[in-house]
Amino acid sequence: MFTVRIQAQDFDAATEAAALARGRTDIGAIVTFAGLCRAQDAPGGAPLIALTLEHYPGMAEEEIGRLVEQARARWPLIGATVIHRYGRMVPGDNIVLVVTASAHRAAAFEAAQFLMDWLKTSAPFWKMEERDDGTGWIAAKDEDDEAAERWG
């Protein structure tokens, strides 16, 4: 089962991992990555009040689906679930979930990392930070591009 969802509502990582594995006896490894909204990026910076994520409906699902297909072509995945939220979130809220399943752990770990690295750079989401000292859009980070580029 391969699933991509873009949604405003929260998700439960354990429930999603269990759904991916339900009834399967060929899965030997499930890797789950949940990305959370954090209060601040750098020590001494103004704490984050909220993060608002916007996306391009249709395009976001299509791009993430393309990334999942690339992961399937590179690793022997049995299943994957990618959920990305949009809307206003506060520190501690879930933002993104990547669950990968394979017969062996290496493929599940590598595919999950590949998906997260590319989600950060190519999925059409825009983030606006709300802080005590104002609001602003978050610029792309060079380290995110570098992480994605290592996959060739």
Side-chain angles (χ1 to χ4, degrees):
M1 177 169 58
F2 293 87
T3 304
V4 173
R5 294 197 320 257
I6 310 298
Q7 61 191 46
Q9 65 271 26
D10 198 8
F11 55 80
D12 180 78
T15 299
E16 297 297 336
L20 188 59
R22 190 170 295 114
R24 303 296 301 252
T25 58
D26 53 345
I27 294 174
I30 292 182
V31 170
T32 303
F33 172 85
L36 308 177
C37 180
R38 63 181 175 273
Q40 65 187 54
D41 281 334
L48 183 74
I49 296 168
L51 182 68
T52 299
L53 279 87
E54 294 186 5
H55 73 295
Y56 193 107
M59 181 185 259
E61 293 88 343
E62 184 178 317
E63 178 61 17
I64 295 171
R66 189 181 66 76
L67 295 173
V68 169
E69 288 305 312
Q70 286 181 10
R72 289 180 73 181
R74 292 180 77 144
W75 293 280
L77 293 178
I78 296 169
T81 298
V82 178
I83 301 171
H84 205 303
R85 293 183 61 204
Y86 65 89
R88 188 175 188 269
M89 284 157 255
V90 298
D93 284 352
N94 289 313
I95 297 174
V96 63
L97 178 68
V98 172
V99 184
T100 53
S102 184
H104 302 284
R105 70 179 184 270
F109 272 113
E110 289 171 12
Q113 192 165 19
F114 168 88
L115 287 167
M116 272 314 304
D117 286 347
W118 279 107
L119 277 170
K120 292 283 287 182
T121 60
S122 68
F125 287 88
W126 298 271
K127 301 175 187 176
M128 185 182 348
E129 293 181 322
E130 186 181 324
R131 297 182 181 270
D132 285 333
D133 57 0
T135 61
W137 293 101
I138 299 174
K141 297 178 183 173
D142 290 339
E143 57 263 25
D144 291 337
D145 290 331
E146 292 164 8
E149 289 301 320
R150 73 188 174 99
W151 298 103

